[in-house]
Amino acid sequence: MSSVSTNDIRVGMKVEVDREPYLIIGNEFVKPGKGQAFNRIKLKNMKNGRVVERTYKSGEKIDLADIEEAEMRFVYKESDGVVFMDEKTFDQITIRNELVGSNSQWLMEDVVFHIVFYKGEPIEIVPPTFMEMVVTDTPPGVRGDTASGRVLKPATTETGAKIQVPIFVEEGEKVKVDTRTCE
């Protein structure tokens, strides 16, 4: 396993601490007036999302995580999980429903997802930032409704995702959805 010195650490690197994969979200070099310099590093656990802060002596080594990232196409749902296919090798894998979690609202056939693997096991599914979806249910927009300052209304898409759309959007229309904000 390769390692990196605290002097060479950059935000966005993926490291292994206590046999868990972490993403570096902050790195502060501290040189106190007395004593040895150190790095105060903010780490986000890639499995559960918790953020921790660790201090390392300057020049100390940290192991890099065994992370692989792949672009995989959603194929179909099963009772115990979701099947994805690798774009290059055409290998198929089934990912447990627990891991898919809230991303199940974005599952559409033939959409390519970004999947992160740690030691060969999938740990994160990232949907595309923007997806085109058909609105299946939304209340009708009332003319003059913008006076209240309300320019968005709730809607449901073909996959069951609850999103916010402008008041002029009607059922059956195709909209571009930002999967980060549900708008």
Side-chain angles (χ1 to χ4, degrees):
M1 183 175 293
S2 60
S3 59
V4 64
S5 169
T6 55
N7 300 333
D8 300 327
I9 284 182
R10 303 286 174 257
V11 173
M13 284 182 140
K14 294 163 181 84
V15 296
E16 186 173 312
V17 178
D18 300 330
R19 295 193 176 127
E20 291 282 322
Y22 283 89
L23 175 69
I24 295 176
I25 57 175
N27 181 17
E28 179 185 4
F29 178 75
V30 180
K31 175 72 172 110
K34 195 174 188 181
Q36 185 177 1
F38 61 91
N39 289 62
R40 188 176 296 127
I41 301 172
K42 268 191 174 177
L43 304 161
K44 180 180 178 185
N45 190 313
M46 294 179 72
K47 286 185 175 178
N48 58 29
R50 286 197 200 109
V51 176
V52 296
E53 198 171 281
R54 296 278 174 106
T55 56
Y56 293 94
K57 293 177 187 171
S58 187
E60 199 172 338
K61 299 271 187 195
I62 301 175
D63 291 331
L64 291 172
D66 182 17
I67 296 286
E68 293 176 36
E69 299 178 10
E71 298 290 323
M72 300 188 91
R73 186 173 298 279
F74 169 67
V75 185
Y76 58 90
K77 283 185 183 182
E78 291 182 330
S79 60
D80 60 332
V82 178
V83 178
F84 287 91
M85 179 181 69
D86 191 318
E87 289 284 282
K88 296 179 186 103
T89 63
F90 302 108
D91 292 336
Q92 293 186 356
I93 62 162
T94 302
I95 297 178
R96 303 181 324 274
N97 286 328
E98 300 85 50
L99 182 63
V100 176
S102 65
N103 286 326
S104 63
Q105 66 183 341
W106 308 119
L107 294 177
M108 287 177 61
E109 287 186 14
D110 283 341
V111 173
V112 177
F113 286 75
H114 187 79
I115 300 181
V116 179
F117 294 89
Y118 173 64
K119 292 187 177 176
E121 290 294 316
I123 60 170
E124 185 180 17
I125 299 171
V126 181
T129 306
F130 297 102
M131 294 180 68
E132 287 192 3
M133 305 176 114
V134 176
V135 175
T136 57
D137 182 40
T138 186
V142 180
R143 186 174 171 94
D145 206 10
T146 59
S148 64
R150 210 183 81 179
V151 293
L152 294 177
K153 64 181 181 177
T156 306
T157 65
E158 59 192 304
T159 61
K162 306 283 190 228
I163 61 171
Q164 295 289 315
V165 295
I167 61 169
F168 59 83
V169 173
E170 300 296 327
E171 290 181 14
E173 289 187 40
K174 190 176 259 194
V175 293
K176 194 173 201 176
V177 181
D178 185 340
T179 57
R180 300 166 299 184
T181 63
C182 296
E183 290 184 349

